[in-house]
Amino acid sequence: KGDMSLSNTTENAVLKMFLQGTDPSYRAGATQYLALFTADPGETASLASEADYTGYSRVALTKASAWTDGGSSFTNAALVQFGACTAGNNTISHFAVVDTASGAVNMMISGALSGNLAVSSGIQPQFAAGALSVGAD
């Protein structure tokens, strides 16, 4: 939980959807991905600070079941586990919801964690069900 923002890409996509009736290309996909960052990826979706410890990869989330609607915010519906660190280290401070398993992305939402997570060998980042919260304040 923490500060959250929509990316510039998402803000533009929402306006196009409401004002022009144009869906963003990534909306139809059944899967989205959760990514971890060592600094704020910002509204431009900079991947420069994406986690890079050995064992890390983005986690696939099924759109239809990954999030619980709480009215003004959504929370992750189930445990989300990233790969365990086998080498290297990162201090994770942010997350983002993106549209690809690797490489360049359309970033929909990013946010700061309520506290940093130090990742080193043997540590497996995870979010218990309900621990990750996003909203449109």
Side-chain angles (χ1 to χ4, degrees):
K1 295 182 179 180
D3 294 332
M4 191 249 5
S5 89
L6 299 176
S7 70
N8 291 344
T9 299
T10 299
E11 291 168 353
N12 185 260
V14 167
L15 288 173
K16 284 183 177 182
M17 182 183 66
F18 284 125
L19 300 175
Q20 297 178 327
T22 305
D23 276 346
S25 60
Y26 55 81
R27 191 192 69 77
T31 306
Q32 57 193 196
Y33 300 86
L34 193 61
L36 298 177
F37 292 83
T38 60
D40 187 353
E43 291 191 9
T44 59
S46 170
L47 297 178
S49 62
E50 187 170 6
D52 62 0
Y53 67 83
T54 303
Y56 168 79
S57 63
R58 297 173 190 163
V59 173
L61 302 174
T62 302
K63 287 181 182 179
S65 60
W67 300 97
T68 300
D69 183 350
S72 63
S73 65
F74 285 69
T75 57
N76 57 308
L79 174 68
V80 176
Q81 290 184 308
F82 287 84
C85 178
T86 58
N89 59 66
N90 286 146
T91 299
I92 306 300
S93 60
H94 289 75
F95 72 94
V97 177
V98 301
D99 67 339
T100 62
S102 63
V105 299
N106 286 304
M107 181 181 77
M108 281 64 87
I109 299 168
S110 68
L113 301 179
S114 58
N116 290 348
L117 173 62
V119 178
S120 58
S121 189
I123 302 294
Q124 181 177 21
Q126 61 184 7
F127 297 99
L132 194 61
S133 178
V134 297
D137 298 335

